Amino acid sequence: MLGRVNHIALVVPNLAEAAAKYRSVLGAAVTAPDALPEHGVSVVFVTLENTKVELLEPLGSDSPIAAFLAKNPAGGMHHICYEVEDIIAARDSLVAAGGRVLGDGQPKIGAHGKPVLFLHPKDFFGTLIELEQV
Amino acid sequence: MLGRVNHIALVVPNLAEAAAKYRSVLGAAVTAPDALPEHGVSVVFVTLENTKVELLEPLGSDSPIAAFLAKNPAGGMHHICYEVEDIIAARDSLVAAGGRVLGDGQPKIGAHGKPVLFLHPKDFFGTLIELEQV
């Protein structure tokens, strides 16, 4: 079921500062910041040879990552996004195996304009998993 | 400086259970478990198309990941390992920029038999970064 690692998402308290550090100290290619109010985040991507690191800062008053940052004020690792070919088939297979999909179980259109789902971290040893149909 | 993402490391409380779940529920290729007493971990790799996920369970009484698991009993995301061409040059550049290398600052031979260093998570927004010379 799991295809490529599409990205690893890290929450940071200050996106401009984090982007500058990844660029200047770690020597990585970093995209321009993008505000995604419909997702409650601002984002930059650190573009690596084989995958991406997504740096996320909360945007707006009901950001889905605000609670994470309140619990981890310095920031931290937030989720891994895997690519799948068929997100409905993946969801149905996971649910049949006892897995829980967050929200109403229907794929949403994610930050890349593709259908995404999130799986309950309690079902996967404390790691939040995003599936993205590509 | 940063090359490929070599792996994303997740700590799990029970390696056999986690390996079985990644194999059977997520449909991923998972290697046989490997005990690395000199590193204080047992490990399996989830082999993906473009990178690897490393599942880690503490091994022995002074495992370097025991404290993480005590703080996160369900498990969780532990670190990201990036490949670099020259780990000494990478270290010297990071230290010159004010970054802190964990331990005595000398590369150790990591789980893959290659020189590795870990960077202080407080310098990188709460994310533990491993550098591996490949």
Side-chain angles (χ1 to χ4, degrees):
Chain A
M1 176 192 296
L2 298 185
R4 300 171 76 256
V5 171
N6 184 276
H7 61 268
I8 306 110
L10 314 180
V11 171
V12 300
N14 184 309
L15 193 60
E17 187 188 335
K21 196 157 202 179
Y22 273 80
R23 186 182 291 117
S24 66
V25 176
L26 293 174
V30 179
T31 63
D34 203 4
L36 302 172
E38 70 277 25
H39 293 285
V41 296
S42 296
V43 59
V44 305
F45 287 101
V46 181
T47 311
L48 301 152
E49 287 173 33
N50 58 335
T51 188
K52 301 185 290 272
V53 167
E54 183 183 63
L55 303 178
L56 296 171
E57 182 188 78
L59 176 65
S61 56
D62 59 351
S63 170
I65 58 170
F68 180 91
L69 195 58
K71 193 177 169 190
N72 305 277
M77 301 178 74
H78 189 262
H79 68 265
I80 303 185
C81 176
Y82 298 100
E83 298 177 357
V84 295
E85 283 188 16
D86 181 335
I87 201 162
I88 298 297
R91 176 198 66 187
D92 292 349
S93 162
L94 284 159
V95 169
R100 287 168 288 177
V101 173
L102 297 187
D104 64 5
Q106 298 305 312
K108 301 280 186 296
I109 299 302
H112 307 115
K114 307 278 180 67
V116 302
L117 284 174
F118 284 90
L119 309 182
H120 201 304
K122 288 198 176 163
D123 293 335
F124 293 99
F125 316 101
T127 291
L128 178 61
I129 293 177
E130 180 180 15
L131 300 180
E132 179 174 316
Q133 180 173 302
V134 292
Chain B
M1 176 191 297
L2 298 185
R4 301 173 73 256
V5 171
N6 184 276
H7 61 267
I8 306 111
L10 314 180
V11 171
V12 299
N14 183 310
L15 192 60
E17 187 188 336
K21 197 157 200 178
Y22 272 80
R23 187 182 290 118
S24 67
V25 176
L26 292 173
V30 179
T31 63
D34 204 3
L36 303 172
E38 70 277 24
H39 293 285
V41 296
S42 297
V43 59
V44 304
F45 287 100
V46 180
T47 312
L48 300 153
E49 287 173 33
N50 58 336
T51 188
K52 299 185 292 274
V53 167
E54 182 183 63
L55 303 178
L56 297 171
E57 182 189 78
L59 177 65
S61 56
D62 59 348
S63 170
I65 59 170
F68 180 91
L69 195 58
K71 193 175 170 190
N72 305 276
M77 300 178 74
H78 190 262
H79 68 265
I80 302 184
C81 177
Y82 298 101
E83 298 177 358
V84 295
E85 284 187 18
D86 182 334
I87 201 162
I88 299 297
R91 176 199 64 188
D92 292 350
S93 163
L94 284 160
V95 169
R100 288 168 288 177
V101 173
L102 298 186
D104 64 5
Q106 297 306 313
K108 301 282 186 296
I109 299 303
H112 307 115
K114 307 278 179 65
V116 302
L117 284 174
F118 285 89
L119 309 182
H120 202 303
K122 286 196 177 164
D123 292 336
F124 294 97
F125 316 101
T127 291
L128 178 60
I129 292 177
E130 181 181 15
L131 300 180
E132 178 174 316
Q133 180 173 303
V134 291

Short mmCIF file of all heavy atoms in Angstrom, two decimals, chain B residues 3-64:
data_model
loop_
_atom_site.label_atom_id
_atom_site.label_comp_id
_atom_site.label_asym_id
_atom_site.label_seq_id
_atom_site.Cartn_x
_atom_site.Cartn_y
_atom_site.Cartn_z
N GLY B 3 21.98 16.09 1.84
CA GLY B 3 21.69 15.27 0.66
C GLY B 3 20.35 14.58 0.82
O GLY B 3 19.36 15.20 1.23
N ARG B 4 20.30 13.30 0.55
CA ARG B 4 19.06 12.53 0.65
C ARG B 4 18.62 12.38 2.10
O ARG B 4 19.44 12.44 3.03
CB ARG B 4 19.24 11.13 0.05
CG ARG B 4 19.65 11.13 -1.41
CD ARG B 4 19.99 9.73 -1.90
NE ARG B 4 18.81 8.89 -2.07
CZ ARG B 4 18.41 7.92 -1.24
NH1 ARG B 4 19.11 7.64 -0.15
NH2 ARG B 4 17.32 7.23 -1.49
N VAL B 5 17.33 12.17 2.31
CA VAL B 5 16.86 11.67 3.61
C VAL B 5 17.17 10.18 3.63
O VAL B 5 16.59 9.40 2.87
CB VAL B 5 15.34 11.92 3.80
CG1 VAL B 5 14.84 11.20 5.05
CG2 VAL B 5 15.05 13.41 3.89
N ASN B 6 18.14 9.80 4.48
CA ASN B 6 18.51 8.38 4.56
C ASN B 6 17.42 7.58 5.23
O ASN B 6 17.05 6.51 4.77
CB ASN B 6 19.84 8.25 5.31
CG ASN B 6 20.33 6.83 5.35
OD1 ASN B 6 19.91 6.06 6.21
ND2 ASN B 6 21.18 6.45 4.41
N HIS B 7 16.90 8.11 6.35
CA HIS B 7 15.77 7.43 7.02
C HIS B 7 15.09 8.38 7.98
O HIS B 7 15.64 9.41 8.36
CB HIS B 7 16.23 6.16 7.75
CG HIS B 7 17.23 6.40 8.85
ND1 HIS B 7 18.59 6.33 8.65
CD2 HIS B 7 17.08 6.70 10.17
CE1 HIS B 7 19.21 6.58 9.79
NE2 HIS B 7 18.32 6.82 10.72
N ILE B 8 13.86 8.01 8.33
CA ILE B 8 13.11 8.65 9.40
C ILE B 8 12.99 7.60 10.49
O ILE B 8 12.54 6.47 10.22
CB ILE B 8 11.71 9.09 8.93
CG1 ILE B 8 11.82 9.96 7.67
CG2 ILE B 8 10.98 9.82 10.06
CD1 ILE B 8 11.27 9.29 6.43
N ALA B 9 13.38 7.95 11.72
CA ALA B 9 13.40 6.96 12.80
C ALA B 9 12.22 7.17 13.73
O ALA B 9 11.95 8.28 14.18
CB ALA B 9 14.70 7.08 13.60
N LEU B 10 11.52 6.07 14.01
CA LEU B 10 10.37 6.06 14.92
C LEU B 10 10.68 5.09 16.05
O LEU B 10 11.10 3.95 15.80
CB LEU B 10 9.12 5.58 14.18
CG LEU B 10 8.83 6.18 12.79
CD1 LEU B 10 7.55 5.57 12.22
CD2 LEU B 10 8.73 7.69 12.86
N VAL B 11 10.45 5.53 17.27
CA VAL B 11 10.60 4.62 18.42
C VAL B 11 9.26 3.92 18.65
O VAL B 11 8.20 4.56 18.59
CB VAL B 11 11.04 5.40 19.67
CG1 VAL B 11 10.99 4.52 20.92
CG2 VAL B 11 12.45 5.96 19.47
N VAL B 12 9.33 2.62 18.88
CA VAL B 12 8.11 1.83 19.15
C VAL B 12 8.33 1.02 20.42
O VAL B 12 9.46 0.63 20.73
CB VAL B 12 7.76 0.91 17.96
CG1 VAL B 12 7.50 1.73 16.69
CG2 VAL B 12 8.84 -0.13 17.71
N PRO B 13 7.25 0.73 21.14
CA PRO B 13 7.43 -0.04 22.38
C PRO B 13 7.65 -1.52 22.13
O PRO B 13 8.22 -2.20 22.99
CB PRO B 13 6.11 0.20 23.14
CG PRO B 13 5.15 0.71 22.14
CD PRO B 13 5.91 1.30 21.01
N ASN B 14 7.21 -2.03 20.98
CA ASN B 14 7.33 -3.46 20.71
C ASN B 14 7.64 -3.64 19.23
O ASN B 14 6.78 -3.44 18.38
CB ASN B 14 6.02 -4.17 21.09
CG ASN B 14 6.11 -5.68 20.90
OD1 ASN B 14 6.51 -6.16 19.84
ND2 ASN B 14 5.73 -6.42 21.92
N LEU B 15 8.88 -4.01 18.96
CA LEU B 15 9.34 -4.03 17.57
C LEU B 15 8.62 -5.09 16.74
O LEU B 15 8.27 -4.85 15.57
CB LEU B 15 10.85 -4.27 17.55
CG LEU B 15 11.56 -4.04 16.22
CD1 LEU B 15 11.41 -2.61 15.74
CD2 LEU B 15 13.05 -4.38 16.36
N ALA B 16 8.40 -6.26 17.32
CA ALA B 16 7.75 -7.34 16.57
C ALA B 16 6.33 -6.94 16.17
O ALA B 16 5.89 -7.14 15.03
CB ALA B 16 7.74 -8.62 17.40
N GLU B 17 5.64 -6.31 17.12
CA GLU B 17 4.27 -5.88 16.85
C GLU B 17 4.25 -4.78 15.78
O GLU B 17 3.41 -4.80 14.86
CB GLU B 17 3.64 -5.36 18.15
CG GLU B 17 2.17 -5.05 18.06
CD GLU B 17 1.65 -4.36 19.33
OE1 GLU B 17 2.27 -4.53 20.41
OE2 GLU B 17 0.65 -3.63 19.24
N ALA B 18 5.18 -3.84 15.89
CA ALA B 18 5.23 -2.74 14.92
C ALA B 18 5.60 -3.27 13.53
O ALA B 18 4.99 -2.88 12.53
CB ALA B 18 6.23 -1.69 15.38
N ALA B 19 6.58 -4.15 13.46
CA ALA B 19 6.99 -4.70 12.16
C ALA B 19 5.83 -5.43 11.51
O ALA B 19 5.57 -5.28 10.31
CB ALA B 19 8.19 -5.63 12.34
N ALA B 20 5.10 -6.21 12.31
CA ALA B 20 3.96 -6.96 11.77
C ALA B 20 2.89 -6.01 11.25
O ALA B 20 2.29 -6.25 10.20
CB ALA B 20 3.40 -7.88 12.85
N LYS B 21 2.67 -4.91 11.97
CA LYS B 21 1.62 -3.98 11.54
C LYS B 21 2.01 -3.23 10.27
O LYS B 21 1.17 -3.05 9.37
CB LYS B 21 1.33 -2.99 12.67
CG LYS B 21 0.01 -2.27 12.49
CD LYS B 21 -0.50 -1.76 13.81
CE LYS B 21 -1.99 -1.47 13.75
NZ LYS B 21 -2.51 -1.02 15.05
N TYR B 22 3.26 -2.79 10.18
CA TYR B 22 3.69 -2.11 8.95
C TYR B 22 3.62 -3.08 7.77
O TYR B 22 3.28 -2.68 6.65
CB TYR B 22 5.10 -1.52 9.11
CG TYR B 22 5.07 -0.12 9.69
CD1 TYR B 22 4.90 0.09 11.06
CD2 TYR B 22 5.13 1.01 8.87
CE1 TYR B 22 4.83 1.37 11.59
CE2 TYR B 22 5.06 2.29 9.40
CZ TYR B 22 4.91 2.47 10.75
OH TYR B 22 4.83 3.74 11.26
N ARG B 23 3.92 -4.35 8.01
CA ARG B 23 3.89 -5.33 6.92
C ARG B 23 2.45 -5.66 6.54
O ARG B 23 2.07 -5.57 5.37
CB ARG B 23 4.63 -6.60 7.36
CG ARG B 23 4.80 -7.63 6.25
CD ARG B 23 5.49 -8.88 6.77
NE ARG B 23 6.89 -8.66 7.10
CZ ARG B 23 7.43 -8.79 8.31
NH1 ARG B 23 6.70 -9.16 9.34
NH2 ARG B 23 8.73 -8.59 8.49
N SER B 24 1.63 -6.01 7.54
CA SER B 24 0.32 -6.58 7.20
C SER B 24 -0.74 -5.50 6.99
O SER B 24 -1.57 -5.61 6.09
CB SER B 24 -0.12 -7.57 8.27
OG SER B 24 -0.37 -6.89 9.48
N VAL B 25 -0.73 -4.45 7.80
CA VAL B 25 -1.79 -3.44 7.70
C VAL B 25 -1.41 -2.36 6.67
O VAL B 25 -2.26 -1.92 5.89
CB VAL B 25 -2.09 -2.81 9.08
CG1 VAL B 25 -3.12 -1.70 8.95
CG2 VAL B 25 -2.57 -3.88 10.04
N LEU B 26 -0.14 -1.94 6.66
CA LEU B 26 0.28 -0.89 5.73
C LEU B 26 0.88 -1.47 4.44
O LEU B 26 1.22 -0.72 3.51
CB LEU B 26 1.26 0.07 6.41
CG LEU B 26 0.64 0.92 7.53
CD1 LEU B 26 1.71 1.72 8.26
CD2 LEU B 26 -0.43 1.87 6.98
N GLY B 27 1.04 -2.78 4.38
CA GLY B 27 1.49 -3.41 3.14
C GLY B 27 2.89 -3.02 2.72
O GLY B 27 3.19 -2.91 1.53
N ALA B 28 3.78 -2.81 3.69
CA ALA B 28 5.13 -2.35 3.38
C ALA B 28 6.13 -3.51 3.52
O ALA B 28 5.88 -4.48 4.23
CB ALA B 28 5.54 -1.22 4.33
N ALA B 29 7.25 -3.36 2.81
CA ALA B 29 8.35 -4.32 2.95
C ALA B 29 9.13 -4.00 4.22
O ALA B 29 9.54 -2.85 4.42
CB ALA B 29 9.26 -4.25 1.74
N VAL B 30 9.31 -4.99 5.08
CA VAL B 30 9.97 -4.78 6.37
C VAL B 30 11.10 -5.80 6.50
O VAL B 30 10.91 -6.98 6.23
CB VAL B 30 8.95 -4.96 7.53
CG1 VAL B 30 9.62 -4.76 8.88
CG2 VAL B 30 7.79 -3.98 7.37
N THR B 31 12.27 -5.32 6.92
CA THR B 31 13.42 -6.23 7.06
C THR B 31 13.28 -7.05 8.33
O THR B 31 12.47 -6.75 9.21
CB THR B 31 14.73 -5.43 7.12
OG1 THR B 31 14.71 -4.60 8.30
CG2 THR B 31 14.92 -4.57 5.90
N ALA B 32 14.09 -8.10 8.45
CA ALA B 32 14.14 -8.90 9.68
C ALA B 32 14.71 -8.04 10.81
O ALA B 32 15.54 -7.16 10.57
CB ALA B 32 15.00 -10.13 9.46
N PRO B 33 14.29 -8.30 12.05
CA PRO B 33 14.82 -7.50 13.17
C PRO B 33 16.31 -7.75 13.38
O PRO B 33 16.80 -8.86 13.18
CB PRO B 33 14.01 -7.97 14.37
CG PRO B 33 13.38 -9.26 13.96
CD PRO B 33 13.29 -9.27 12.48
N ASP B 34 16.98 -6.68 13.78
CA ASP B 34 18.43 -6.74 13.97
C ASP B 34 18.73 -6.14 15.35
O ASP B 34 18.34 -5.02 15.63
CB ASP B 34 19.10 -5.91 12.86
CG ASP B 34 20.53 -6.35 12.60
OD1 ASP B 34 20.99 -7.33 13.23
OD2 ASP B 34 21.18 -5.70 11.77
N ALA B 35 19.40 -6.92 16.20
CA ALA B 35 19.80 -6.42 17.51
C ALA B 35 21.17 -5.76 17.40
O ALA B 35 22.11 -6.37 16.87
CB ALA B 35 19.85 -7.57 18.52
N LEU B 36 21.27 -4.53 17.87
CA LEU B 36 22.53 -3.78 17.81
C LEU B 36 22.90 -3.38 19.23
O LEU B 36 22.71 -2.23 19.63
CB LEU B 36 22.37 -2.54 16.92
CG LEU B 36 21.92 -2.78 15.48
CD1 LEU B 36 21.60 -1.47 14.77
CD2 LEU B 36 22.98 -3.55 14.70
N PRO B 37 23.43 -4.34 20.02
CA PRO B 37 23.69 -4.03 21.44
C PRO B 37 24.65 -2.87 21.63
O PRO B 37 24.54 -2.12 22.60
CB PRO B 37 24.26 -5.35 21.98
CG PRO B 37 24.57 -6.21 20.80
CD PRO B 37 23.73 -5.73 19.66
N GLU B 38 25.58 -2.67 20.68
CA GLU B 38 26.53 -1.56 20.83
C GLU B 38 25.85 -0.20 20.65
O GLU B 38 26.39 0.82 21.06
CB GLU B 38 27.71 -1.72 19.86
CG GLU B 38 27.40 -1.51 18.40
CD GLU B 38 26.81 -2.75 17.70
OE1 GLU B 38 26.22 -3.61 18.39
OE2 GLU B 38 26.91 -2.82 16.46
N HIS B 39 24.64 -0.20 20.06
CA HIS B 39 23.87 1.05 19.93
C HIS B 39 22.68 1.09 20.88
O HIS B 39 21.95 2.10 20.92
CB HIS B 39 23.38 1.23 18.50
CG HIS B 39 24.50 1.46 17.53
ND1 HIS B 39 25.17 2.66 17.45
CD2 HIS B 39 25.10 0.64 16.63
CE1 HIS B 39 26.13 2.57 16.53
NE2 HIS B 39 26.10 1.35 16.02
N GLY B 40 22.44 -0.02 21.61
CA GLY B 40 21.34 -0.04 22.57
C GLY B 40 19.97 -0.06 21.93
O GLY B 40 18.98 0.40 22.53
N VAL B 41 19.88 -0.59 20.72
CA VAL B 41 18.59 -0.65 20.02
C VAL B 41 18.45 -1.97 19.26
O VAL B 41 19.44 -2.58 18.86
CB VAL B 41 18.41 0.52 19.01
CG1 VAL B 41 18.38 1.86 19.71
CG2 VAL B 41 19.49 0.49 17.93
N SER B 42 17.20 -2.36 19.07
CA SER B 42 16.87 -3.34 18.04
C SER B 42 16.14 -2.58 16.95
O SER B 42 15.39 -1.63 17.24
CB SER B 42 15.97 -4.45 18.60
OG SER B 42 16.65 -5.17 19.60
N VAL B 43 16.34 -3.01 15.71
CA VAL B 43 15.87 -2.19 14.58
C VAL B 43 15.29 -3.06 13.48
O VAL B 43 15.74 -4.18 13.26
CB VAL B 43 17.06 -1.33 14.04
CG1 VAL B 43 18.21 -2.18 13.58
CG2 VAL B 43 16.62 -0.38 12.95
N VAL B 44 14.25 -2.56 12.84
CA VAL B 44 13.85 -3.07 11.52
C VAL B 44 13.70 -1.86 10.61
O VAL B 44 13.43 -0.74 11.08
CB VAL B 44 12.52 -3.88 11.53
CG1 VAL B 44 12.55 -5.04 12.50
CG2 VAL B 44 11.33 -2.99 11.79
N PHE B 45 13.89 -2.09 9.33
CA PHE B 45 13.69 -1.03 8.35
C PHE B 45 12.45 -1.31 7.52
O PHE B 45 12.27 -2.42 7.03
CB PHE B 45 14.91 -0.89 7.43
CG PHE B 45 16.09 -0.27 8.11
CD1 PHE B 45 17.13 -1.04 8.59
CD2 PHE B 45 16.14 1.10 8.32
CE1 PHE B 45 18.22 -0.46 9.23
CE2 PHE B 45 17.22 1.69 8.97
CZ PHE B 45 18.26 0.90 9.43
N VAL B 46 11.63 -0.29 7.39
CA VAL B 46 10.52 -0.32 6.46
C VAL B 46 11.07 0.28 5.16
O VAL B 46 11.44 1.45 5.11
CB VAL B 46 9.32 0.52 6.97
CG1 VAL B 46 8.17 0.47 5.98
CG2 VAL B 46 8.89 0.04 8.35
N THR B 47 11.15 -0.55 4.13
CA THR B 47 11.80 -0.14 2.89
C THR B 47 10.77 0.46 1.95
O THR B 47 9.85 -0.24 1.51
CB THR B 47 12.47 -1.35 2.22
OG1 THR B 47 13.23 -2.06 3.20
CG2 THR B 47 13.37 -0.92 1.09
N LEU B 48 10.92 1.75 1.68
CA LEU B 48 9.98 2.45 0.80
C LEU B 48 10.68 2.75 -0.53
O LEU B 48 11.87 2.46 -0.68
CB LEU B 48 9.48 3.71 1.49
CG LEU B 48 8.77 3.35 2.80
CD1 LEU B 48 8.85 4.48 3.80
CD2 LEU B 48 7.33 2.94 2.54
N GLU B 49 9.95 3.30 -1.47
CA GLU B 49 10.53 3.49 -2.81
C GLU B 49 11.69 4.47 -2.79
O GLU B 49 12.65 4.33 -3.55
CB GLU B 49 9.45 3.99 -3.78
CG GLU B 49 8.46 2.92 -4.16
CD GLU B 49 7.29 3.49 -4.98
OE1 GLU B 49 7.51 4.44 -5.75
OE2 GLU B 49 6.17 2.98 -4.83
N ASN B 50 11.58 5.51 -1.96
CA ASN B 50 12.58 6.57 -2.04
C ASN B 50 13.40 6.76 -0.77
O ASN B 50 14.36 7.52 -0.76
CB ASN B 50 11.91 7.91 -2.40
CG ASN B 50 10.83 8.31 -1.41
OD1 ASN B 50 10.24 7.47 -0.73
ND2 ASN B 50 10.56 9.59 -1.33
N THR B 51 13.02 6.10 0.31
CA THR B 51 13.80 6.21 1.56
C THR B 51 13.39 5.07 2.48
O THR B 51 12.73 4.11 2.03
CB THR B 51 13.59 7.61 2.20
OG1 THR B 51 14.50 7.77 3.30
CG2 THR B 51 12.17 7.82 2.68
N LYS B 52 13.79 5.14 3.74
CA LYS B 52 13.48 4.08 4.69
C LYS B 52 12.89 4.69 5.96
O LYS B 52 13.24 5.82 6.33
CB LYS B 52 14.77 3.34 5.11
CG LYS B 52 15.52 2.65 4.01
CD LYS B 52 16.70 1.86 4.54
CE LYS B 52 17.82 2.71 5.12
NZ LYS B 52 18.80 3.19 4.15
N VAL B 53 12.03 3.93 6.61
CA VAL B 53 11.62 4.26 7.97
C VAL B 53 12.28 3.23 8.88
O VAL B 53 12.23 2.03 8.62
CB VAL B 53 10.09 4.24 8.11
CG1 VAL B 53 9.67 4.26 9.57
CG2 VAL B 53 9.48 5.43 7.37
N GLU B 54 12.94 3.74 9.92
CA GLU B 54 13.66 2.89 10.86
C GLU B 54 12.80 2.77 12.12
O GLU B 54 12.50 3.79 12.76
CB GLU B 54 15.00 3.57 11.17
CG GLU B 54 15.93 2.84 12.09
CD GLU B 54 17.20 3.66 12.37
OE1 GLU B 54 17.10 4.77 12.96
OE2 GLU B 54 18.28 3.23 11.99
N LEU B 55 12.38 1.56 12.45
CA LEU B 55 11.62 1.33 13.69
C LEU B 55 12.61 0.86 14.75
O LEU B 55 13.35 -0.09 14.53
CB LEU B 55 10.54 0.27 13.47
CG LEU B 55 9.53 0.54 12.36
CD1 LEU B 55 8.55 -0.63 12.23
CD2 LEU B 55 8.75 1.83 12.61
N LEU B 56 12.61 1.55 15.89
CA LEU B 56 13.60 1.30 16.95
C LEU B 56 12.91 0.91 18.24
O LEU B 56 11.95 1.55 18.67
CB LEU B 56 14.39 2.59 17.23
CG LEU B 56 15.24 3.16 16.11
CD1 LEU B 56 15.75 4.54 16.52
CD2 LEU B 56 16.41 2.23 15.81
N GLU B 57 13.45 -0.13 18.88
CA GLU B 57 13.02 -0.53 20.22
C GLU B 57 14.26 -0.50 21.11
O GLU B 57 15.33 -0.92 20.68
CB GLU B 57 12.44 -1.95 20.15
CG GLU B 57 11.91 -2.49 21.46
CD GLU B 57 11.57 -3.99 21.34
OE1 GLU B 57 12.50 -4.81 21.39
OE2 GLU B 57 10.39 -4.32 21.21
N PRO B 58 14.12 -0.03 22.36
CA PRO B 58 15.30 -0.02 23.24
C PRO B 58 15.83 -1.44 23.46
O PRO B 58 15.07 -2.41 23.51
CB PRO B 58 14.76 0.55 24.56
CG PRO B 58 13.51 1.28 24.19
CD PRO B 58 12.94 0.55 23.01
N LEU B 59 17.15 -1.55 23.57
CA LEU B 59 17.80 -2.83 23.86
C LEU B 59 18.81 -2.58 24.98
O LEU B 59 19.67 -1.70 24.86
CB LEU B 59 18.51 -3.35 22.60
CG LEU B 59 19.31 -4.64 22.75
CD1 LEU B 59 18.40 -5.82 23.09
CD2 LEU B 59 20.10 -4.94 21.47
N GLY B 60 18.67 -3.34 26.06
CA GLY B 60 19.62 -3.21 27.16
C GLY B 60 19.21 -2.12 28.14
O GLY B 60 18.25 -1.39 27.93
N SER B 61 19.98 -2.03 29.21
CA SER B 61 19.57 -1.19 30.34
C SER B 61 19.94 0.29 30.15
O SER B 61 19.40 1.15 30.83
CB SER B 61 20.21 -1.71 31.63
OG SER B 61 21.61 -1.78 31.47
N ASP B 62 20.87 0.59 29.25
CA ASP B 62 21.22 2.00 29.06
C ASP B 62 21.02 2.43 27.60
O ASP B 62 21.84 3.13 27.03
CB ASP B 62 22.66 2.28 29.54
CG ASP B 62 23.66 1.43 28.80
OD1 ASP B 62 23.25 0.48 28.10
OD2 ASP B 62 24.88 1.72 28.92
N SER B 63 19.89 2.00 27.07
CA SER B 63 19.58 2.37 25.69
C SER B 63 19.43 3.88 25.56
O SER B 63 18.79 4.53 26.39
CB SER B 63 18.27 1.70 25.26
OG SER B 63 17.84 2.24 24.02
N PRO B 64 19.99 4.47 24.49
CA PRO B 64 19.85 5.92 24.30
C PRO B 64 18.41 6.36 23.99
O PRO B 64 18.13 7.55 24.03
CB PRO B 64 20.78 6.21 23.11
CG PRO B 64 20.95 4.92 22.40
CD PRO B 64 20.82 3.84 23.45
#
